[in-house]
Amino acid sequence: MQELGEHYRPAGEPPESNVHRVVGRTDGVTLLRVTDADGRRVNSGEIRRCSSATLDEEFEPARNPDAGFNPVSAVGDVLTWLYWSVRKFL
């Protein structure tokens, strides 16, 4: 049984592309697409409904695109915060 919050991608596709998150389990499984074909996060609102059996046949487990720490992004966030903090007082 699939759990809410698990991630799946269509079978045979690259690991980061077209990742879907399980957002519902009533009368089958409801999936929300959270990445595009290039693996970038998207807010598409694209929902797909299928049975548990179809999910097991057509999809395979995927890595959570939100997992992990990205040091480059963290440094960029800190620099942005510093810039706006200084600008606020000038």
Side-chain angles (χ1 to χ4, degrees), residues 30-71:
T30 304
L31 302 168
L32 173 68
R33 187 166 61 98
V34 295
T35 68
D36 63 10
D38 296 325
R40 292 185 300 255
R41 291 279 287 141
V42 294
N43 187 10
S44 68
E46 180 183 325
I47 293 178
R48 180 173 179 175
R49 292 181 177 88
C50 61
S51 68
S52 291
T54 301
L55 183 69
D56 290 337
E57 292 172 6
E58 297 180 10
F59 287 82
E60 52 193 38
R63 185 183 72 79
N64 180 349
D66 299 326
F69 174 70
N70 183 348

Short mmCIF file of all heavy atoms in Angstrom, two decimals, residues 30-71:
data_model
loop_
_atom_site.label_atom_id
_atom_site.label_comp_id
_atom_site.label_asym_id
_atom_site.label_seq_id
_atom_site.Cartn_x
_atom_site.Cartn_y
_atom_site.Cartn_z
N THR A 30 -4.07 9.05 -5.70
CA THR A 30 -4.02 10.35 -6.36
C THR A 30 -2.59 10.86 -6.29
O THR A 30 -1.99 10.91 -5.22
CB THR A 30 -4.97 11.36 -5.68
OG1 THR A 30 -6.29 10.81 -5.67
CG2 THR A 30 -4.97 12.68 -6.41
N LEU A 31 -2.05 11.22 -7.46
CA LEU A 31 -0.66 11.69 -7.57
C LEU A 31 -0.63 13.13 -8.04
O LEU A 31 -1.42 13.53 -8.89
CB LEU A 31 0.11 10.83 -8.59
CG LEU A 31 0.17 9.34 -8.31
CD1 LEU A 31 0.70 8.60 -9.54
CD2 LEU A 31 1.04 9.06 -7.11
N LEU A 32 0.29 13.90 -7.49
CA LEU A 32 0.53 15.28 -7.90
C LEU A 32 1.93 15.36 -8.47
O LEU A 32 2.90 14.96 -7.81
CB LEU A 32 0.40 16.22 -6.69
CG LEU A 32 0.78 17.68 -6.92
CD1 LEU A 32 -0.22 18.35 -7.86
CD2 LEU A 32 0.84 18.42 -5.60
N ARG A 33 2.07 15.87 -9.70
CA ARG A 33 3.39 15.98 -10.32
C ARG A 33 4.15 17.13 -9.65
O ARG A 33 3.65 18.24 -9.55
CB ARG A 33 3.30 16.22 -11.82
CG ARG A 33 4.67 16.16 -12.49
CD ARG A 33 4.55 16.05 -14.00
NE ARG A 33 3.89 17.18 -14.58
CZ ARG A 33 4.52 18.22 -15.12
NH1 ARG A 33 5.83 18.26 -15.17
NH2 ARG A 33 3.83 19.21 -15.63
N VAL A 34 5.39 16.85 -9.20
CA VAL A 34 6.17 17.86 -8.48
C VAL A 34 7.46 18.25 -9.19
O VAL A 34 8.12 19.21 -8.77
CB VAL A 34 6.48 17.42 -7.03
CG1 VAL A 34 5.20 17.31 -6.21
CG2 VAL A 34 7.24 16.11 -6.99
N THR A 35 7.87 17.53 -10.26
CA THR A 35 9.03 17.95 -11.05
C THR A 35 8.70 17.84 -12.53
O THR A 35 7.82 17.08 -12.93
CB THR A 35 10.30 17.10 -10.77
OG1 THR A 35 10.10 15.78 -11.24
CG2 THR A 35 10.66 17.10 -9.31
N ASP A 36 9.44 18.60 -13.35
CA ASP A 36 9.24 18.51 -14.79
C ASP A 36 10.18 17.47 -15.38
O ASP A 36 10.86 16.74 -14.65
CB ASP A 36 9.43 19.88 -15.45
CG ASP A 36 10.83 20.44 -15.29
OD1 ASP A 36 11.74 19.72 -14.84
OD2 ASP A 36 11.03 21.63 -15.63
N ALA A 37 10.26 17.39 -16.70
CA ALA A 37 11.09 16.40 -17.39
C ALA A 37 12.58 16.59 -17.11
O ALA A 37 13.36 15.65 -17.22
CB ALA A 37 10.82 16.44 -18.89
N ASP A 38 12.98 17.82 -16.72
CA ASP A 38 14.39 18.09 -16.42
C ASP A 38 14.71 17.94 -14.94
O ASP A 38 15.84 18.19 -14.52
CB ASP A 38 14.76 19.51 -16.87
CG ASP A 38 14.64 19.67 -18.38
OD1 ASP A 38 14.94 18.70 -19.10
OD2 ASP A 38 14.24 20.76 -18.83
N GLY A 39 13.73 17.56 -14.13
CA GLY A 39 13.96 17.37 -12.70
C GLY A 39 13.82 18.62 -11.87
O GLY A 39 14.10 18.62 -10.68
N ARG A 40 13.38 19.73 -12.48
CA ARG A 40 13.18 20.98 -11.72
C ARG A 40 11.82 20.95 -11.05
O ARG A 40 10.84 20.46 -11.60
CB ARG A 40 13.28 22.18 -12.66
CG ARG A 40 14.67 22.42 -13.20
CD ARG A 40 14.71 23.70 -14.01
NE ARG A 40 13.80 23.64 -15.12
CZ ARG A 40 14.16 23.46 -16.40
NH1 ARG A 40 15.42 23.35 -16.71
NH2 ARG A 40 13.26 23.42 -17.35
N ARG A 41 11.74 21.52 -9.84
CA ARG A 41 10.47 21.59 -9.11
C ARG A 41 9.48 22.43 -9.89
O ARG A 41 9.84 23.48 -10.43
CB ARG A 41 10.69 22.23 -7.73
CG ARG A 41 11.46 21.38 -6.78
CD ARG A 41 10.65 20.31 -6.11
NE ARG A 41 9.77 20.86 -5.11
CZ ARG A 41 8.54 20.43 -4.92
NH1 ARG A 41 8.03 19.48 -5.62
NH2 ARG A 41 7.78 20.97 -3.99
N VAL A 42 8.25 21.98 -9.94
CA VAL A 42 7.18 22.73 -10.60
C VAL A 42 5.95 22.75 -9.70
O VAL A 42 5.78 21.89 -8.84
CB VAL A 42 6.79 22.12 -11.97
CG1 VAL A 42 7.92 22.25 -12.96
CG2 VAL A 42 6.34 20.68 -11.83
N ASN A 43 5.13 23.74 -9.91
CA ASN A 43 3.85 23.85 -9.23
C ASN A 43 2.78 23.80 -10.31
O ASN A 43 2.10 24.77 -10.58
CB ASN A 43 3.79 25.15 -8.44
CG ASN A 43 2.56 25.22 -7.58
OD1 ASN A 43 1.83 24.26 -7.42
ND2 ASN A 43 2.31 26.40 -7.02
N SER A 44 2.69 22.65 -10.97
CA SER A 44 1.83 22.52 -12.15
C SER A 44 0.37 22.30 -11.79
O SER A 44 -0.52 22.62 -12.57
CB SER A 44 2.30 21.35 -13.01
OG SER A 44 2.09 20.12 -12.34
N GLY A 45 0.10 21.72 -10.63
CA GLY A 45 -1.26 21.38 -10.27
C GLY A 45 -1.77 20.17 -11.03
O GLY A 45 -2.94 19.83 -10.94
N GLU A 46 -0.89 19.51 -11.77
CA GLU A 46 -1.27 18.33 -12.56
C GLU A 46 -1.51 17.14 -11.63
O GLU A 46 -0.62 16.72 -10.91
CB GLU A 46 -0.18 18.00 -13.57
CG GLU A 46 -0.49 16.81 -14.42
CD GLU A 46 0.65 16.48 -15.36
OE1 GLU A 46 1.31 17.42 -15.84
OE2 GLU A 46 0.87 15.30 -15.61
N ILE A 47 -2.72 16.62 -11.66
CA ILE A 47 -3.10 15.50 -10.81
C ILE A 47 -3.41 14.30 -11.69
O ILE A 47 -4.02 14.43 -12.76
CB ILE A 47 -4.33 15.86 -9.94
CG1 ILE A 47 -3.93 16.94 -8.94
CG2 ILE A 47 -4.89 14.64 -9.24
CD1 ILE A 47 -5.06 17.41 -8.06
N ARG A 48 -3.01 13.14 -11.21
CA ARG A 48 -3.29 11.90 -11.92
C ARG A 48 -3.87 10.90 -10.92
O ARG A 48 -3.35 10.75 -9.82
CB ARG A 48 -2.01 11.36 -12.53
CG ARG A 48 -2.21 10.08 -13.27
CD ARG A 48 -0.96 9.68 -14.00
NE ARG A 48 -1.20 8.43 -14.69
CZ ARG A 48 -0.35 7.85 -15.48
NH1 ARG A 48 0.82 8.43 -15.70
NH2 ARG A 48 -0.63 6.72 -16.05
N ARG A 49 -4.94 10.25 -11.30
CA ARG A 49 -5.57 9.24 -10.44
C ARG A 49 -5.42 7.88 -11.10
O ARG A 49 -5.61 7.75 -12.31
CB ARG A 49 -7.03 9.57 -10.22
CG ARG A 49 -7.22 10.82 -9.38
CD ARG A 49 -8.69 11.11 -9.15
NE ARG A 49 -8.86 12.26 -8.30
CZ ARG A 49 -8.92 13.52 -8.72
NH1 ARG A 49 -8.80 13.78 -10.00
NH2 ARG A 49 -9.08 14.50 -7.87
N CYS A 50 -5.10 6.87 -10.30
CA CYS A 50 -4.98 5.52 -10.82
C CYS A 50 -5.19 4.53 -9.67
O CYS A 50 -5.20 4.91 -8.51
CB CYS A 50 -3.63 5.29 -11.48
SG CYS A 50 -2.20 5.50 -10.41
N SER A 51 -5.33 3.27 -10.02
CA SER A 51 -5.47 2.23 -9.00
C SER A 51 -4.09 1.89 -8.44
O SER A 51 -3.07 2.18 -9.06
CB SER A 51 -6.12 0.99 -9.60
OG SER A 51 -5.24 0.39 -10.53
N SER A 52 -4.06 1.24 -7.31
CA SER A 52 -2.79 0.81 -6.72
C SER A 52 -2.06 -0.15 -7.64
O SER A 52 -0.83 -0.10 -7.77
CB SER A 52 -3.02 0.15 -5.36
OG SER A 52 -3.44 1.09 -4.43
N ALA A 53 -2.80 -1.02 -8.31
CA ALA A 53 -2.19 -1.98 -9.24
C ALA A 53 -1.54 -1.26 -10.42
O ALA A 53 -0.43 -1.59 -10.83
CB ALA A 53 -3.23 -2.97 -9.72
N THR A 54 -2.23 -0.26 -10.97
CA THR A 54 -1.68 0.51 -12.08
C THR A 54 -0.43 1.26 -11.64
O THR A 54 0.55 1.32 -12.38
CB THR A 54 -2.73 1.51 -12.63
OG1 THR A 54 -3.87 0.78 -13.05
CG2 THR A 54 -2.18 2.31 -13.78
N LEU A 55 -0.46 1.82 -10.45
CA LEU A 55 0.71 2.52 -9.94
C LEU A 55 1.91 1.58 -9.85
O LEU A 55 3.01 1.94 -10.26
CB LEU A 55 0.41 3.14 -8.57
CG LEU A 55 1.55 3.96 -7.96
CD1 LEU A 55 1.77 5.24 -8.74
CD2 LEU A 55 1.26 4.28 -6.52
N ASP A 56 1.69 0.38 -9.36
CA ASP A 56 2.77 -0.59 -9.24
C ASP A 56 3.30 -1.03 -10.61
O ASP A 56 4.48 -1.32 -10.75
CB ASP A 56 2.31 -1.83 -8.46
CG ASP A 56 2.09 -1.52 -6.98
OD1 ASP A 56 2.68 -0.54 -6.49
OD2 ASP A 56 1.31 -2.25 -6.34
N GLU A 57 2.43 -1.05 -11.63
CA GLU A 57 2.85 -1.47 -12.97
C GLU A 57 3.54 -0.36 -13.75
O GLU A 57 4.52 -0.61 -14.45
CB GLU A 57 1.63 -1.94 -13.77
CG GLU A 57 1.00 -3.21 -13.26
CD GLU A 57 -0.31 -3.51 -13.95
OE1 GLU A 57 -0.67 -2.80 -14.91
OE2 GLU A 57 -0.99 -4.46 -13.52
N GLU A 58 3.03 0.85 -13.66
CA GLU A 58 3.50 1.95 -14.52
C GLU A 58 4.50 2.89 -13.85
O GLU A 58 5.13 3.69 -14.54
CB GLU A 58 2.30 2.76 -15.02
CG GLU A 58 1.36 1.96 -15.89
CD GLU A 58 0.18 2.77 -16.37
OE1 GLU A 58 0.19 4.02 -16.19
OE2 GLU A 58 -0.74 2.17 -16.94
N PHE A 59 4.62 2.83 -12.54
CA PHE A 59 5.50 3.75 -11.82
C PHE A 59 6.50 2.97 -10.99
O PHE A 59 6.29 1.80 -10.67
CB PHE A 59 4.70 4.67 -10.90
CG PHE A 59 3.92 5.73 -11.62
CD1 PHE A 59 2.69 5.44 -12.19
CD2 PHE A 59 4.41 7.01 -11.73
CE1 PHE A 59 1.96 6.40 -12.85
CE2 PHE A 59 3.70 7.99 -12.39
CZ PHE A 59 2.47 7.69 -12.96
N GLU A 60 7.59 3.64 -10.62
CA GLU A 60 8.56 3.07 -9.69
C GLU A 60 8.93 4.12 -8.66
O GLU A 60 8.78 5.32 -8.91
CB GLU A 60 9.79 2.56 -10.43
CG GLU A 60 10.43 3.56 -11.35
CD GLU A 60 11.44 2.91 -12.30
OE1 GLU A 60 11.21 1.80 -12.77
OE2 GLU A 60 12.46 3.58 -12.56
N PRO A 61 9.38 3.70 -7.49
CA PRO A 61 9.71 4.67 -6.43
C PRO A 61 10.77 5.67 -6.90
O PRO A 61 11.65 5.35 -7.69
CB PRO A 61 10.25 3.80 -5.31
CG PRO A 61 9.65 2.46 -5.54
CD PRO A 61 9.55 2.32 -7.04
N ALA A 62 10.66 6.89 -6.40
CA ALA A 62 11.59 7.96 -6.76
C ALA A 62 12.08 8.65 -5.49
O ALA A 62 11.45 8.58 -4.44
CB ALA A 62 10.91 8.98 -7.67
N ARG A 63 13.19 9.33 -5.63
CA ARG A 63 13.76 10.10 -4.53
C ARG A 63 12.94 11.37 -4.33
O ARG A 63 12.47 11.99 -5.28
CB ARG A 63 15.20 10.48 -4.87
CG ARG A 63 15.95 11.18 -3.75
CD ARG A 63 17.35 11.58 -4.18
NE ARG A 63 17.33 12.69 -5.12
CZ ARG A 63 17.17 13.97 -4.78
NH1 ARG A 63 17.00 14.30 -3.54
NH2 ARG A 63 17.17 14.90 -5.70
N ASN A 64 12.76 11.76 -3.08
CA ASN A 64 12.05 13.00 -2.75
C ASN A 64 12.86 14.18 -3.29
O ASN A 64 14.00 14.38 -2.89
CB ASN A 64 11.89 13.10 -1.24
CG ASN A 64 11.17 14.34 -0.80
OD1 ASN A 64 10.94 15.26 -1.58
ND2 ASN A 64 10.80 14.37 0.46
N PRO A 65 12.30 14.99 -4.20
CA PRO A 65 13.06 16.11 -4.76
C PRO A 65 13.37 17.20 -3.73
O PRO A 65 14.22 18.05 -3.97
CB PRO A 65 12.16 16.64 -5.87
CG PRO A 65 10.80 16.17 -5.52
CD PRO A 65 10.97 14.89 -4.77
N ASP A 66 12.72 17.17 -2.59
CA ASP A 66 12.96 18.17 -1.55
C ASP A 66 13.99 17.70 -0.53
O ASP A 66 14.35 18.45 0.37
CB ASP A 66 11.66 18.51 -0.82
CG ASP A 66 10.63 19.08 -1.76
OD1 ASP A 66 11.02 19.78 -2.71
OD2 ASP A 66 9.44 18.81 -1.57
N ALA A 67 14.44 16.47 -0.64
CA ALA A 67 15.37 15.91 0.34
C ALA A 67 16.79 16.40 0.06
O ALA A 67 17.16 16.70 -1.06
CB ALA A 67 15.34 14.39 0.29
N GLY A 68 17.55 16.48 1.12
CA GLY A 68 18.96 16.84 0.97
C GLY A 68 19.21 18.32 1.16
O GLY A 68 18.32 19.15 1.07
N PHE A 69 20.46 18.62 1.44
CA PHE A 69 20.90 19.99 1.68
C PHE A 69 21.74 20.42 0.50
O PHE A 69 22.67 19.73 0.10
CB PHE A 69 21.71 20.03 2.97
CG PHE A 69 22.34 21.37 3.24
CD1 PHE A 69 21.57 22.45 3.58
CD2 PHE A 69 23.71 21.53 3.14
CE1 PHE A 69 22.15 23.68 3.83
CE2 PHE A 69 24.29 22.75 3.38
CZ PHE A 69 23.51 23.83 3.73
N ASN A 70 21.43 21.57 -0.07
CA ASN A 70 22.18 22.10 -1.20
C ASN A 70 22.99 23.30 -0.70
O ASN A 70 22.44 24.38 -0.49
CB ASN A 70 21.23 22.52 -2.31
CG ASN A 70 21.96 23.01 -3.54
OD1 ASN A 70 23.15 23.25 -3.52
ND2 ASN A 70 21.21 23.15 -4.62
N PRO A 71 24.32 23.13 -0.48
CA PRO A 71 25.12 24.23 0.08
C PRO A 71 25.16 25.47 -0.80
O PRO A 71 25.19 26.58 -0.30
CB PRO A 71 26.50 23.62 0.26
CG PRO A 71 26.50 22.32 -0.44
CD PRO A 71 25.09 21.93 -0.71
#
